[in-house]
Amino acid sequence: MNEKARAGGDRANSFRTSGKRPKAVTFLYVLLVFLGVGAIAGGVGLITDPSGGQLGMPVDEMLKRSPFDDFLIPGILLLVVFGLLPLLVVYGLVRRPQWSWADAINPFKELHATWTLALYVGFGQIIWIMVETYIMDAVAVIHVLYMTIGLLIQIAALLPSCQRYFRVPPDVDISDSAGGITGPRSASR
């Protein structure tokens, strides 16, 4: 790999190479970490006590419109999808590894795949809260908070400074099946 590819390119990644991280990127990191830590706590609470009693969430009232008999499956989903995944995304945003599985689900090839994963986490959070409020047939302050976090993840990721920061240099090919950077893109792409 040439020095330019290793450094992340010149023009498209000037924020990264200059050492300046846009505030929008820092804000995105903070939102994802907050979501991840909160979901890990909630997921562990629901897994350790699937009745919901430990968290003051009675199963018979809260899950009456759901396909679940207790909070075990929702707790596992919460822990993995909104606890561990956002933290993995933050790792990916900071370190920028080339994950072939993430590249495969990234329709925005000009942006790093973990940027797209951040968008997916934001969309997923919004959908999760919408489904949760439907199932519970109620809206609480925590729903508004976490819906707002999902929206803010979307907004932060879509800001132009954030998109510029995660732009893939035009001379780097990320489509290698092993998931690694293969070198300059050919003119036919």
Side-chain angles (χ1 to χ4, degrees):
M1 169 177 17
N2 66 28
E3 188 61 35
K4 184 176 177 183
R6 197 175 309 116
D10 293 331
R11 196 180 75 243
N13 292 300
S14 61
F15 284 121
R16 214 172 359 161
T17 57
S18 69
K20 294 181 184 175
R21 179 182 302 124
K23 289 180 178 153
V25 172
T26 302
F27 186 53
L28 180 60
Y29 293 165
V30 169
L31 290 168
L32 289 166
V33 168
F34 183 84
L35 175 61
V37 170
I40 287 172
V44 167
L46 294 174
I47 291 168
T48 57
D49 181 14
S51 72
Q54 183 180 2
L55 298 176
M57 300 169 50
V59 170
D60 54 339
E61 292 176 29
M62 300 215 141
L63 296 181
K64 65 184 172 199
R65 295 172 67 175
S66 88
F68 306 110
D69 296 326
D70 62 24
F71 287 108
L72 181 62
I73 300 299
I76 292 169
L77 290 172
L78 183 62
L79 174 68
V80 174
V81 177
F82 298 108
L84 300 177
L85 180 60
L87 298 179
L88 180 67
V89 170
V90 170
Y91 169 81
L93 290 170
V94 171
R95 300 294 305 206
R96 298 184 203 206
Q98 296 302 316
W99 293 325
S100 58
W101 63 270
D103 290 334
I105 59 173
N106 179 12
F108 309 103
K109 299 302 182 192
E110 70 279 4
L111 295 167
H112 195 273
T114 52
W115 175 87
T116 304
L117 291 177
L119 282 179
Y120 293 163
V121 167
F123 281 128
Q125 179 63 24
I126 293 165
I127 292 166
W128 175 271
I129 295 298
M130 289 172 62
V131 170
E132 185 174 308
T133 56
Y134 169 78
I135 288 173
M136 293 174 56
D137 199 22
V139 176
V141 172
I142 196 161
H143 295 122
V144 175
L145 172 68
Y146 279 96
M147 176 72 80
T148 302
I149 289 171
L151 289 168
L152 288 173
I153 289 170
Q154 298 296 299
I155 291 167
L158 291 170
L159 286 172
S161 62
C162 196
Q163 289 185 45
R164 275 192 306 273
Y165 190 74
F166 294 109
R167 188 163 300 281
V168 175
D171 64 336
V172 175
D173 182 1
I174 60 169
S175 62
D176 153 35
S177 62
I181 296 174
T182 60
R185 292 182 177 170
S186 67
S188 65
R189 290 191 193 176

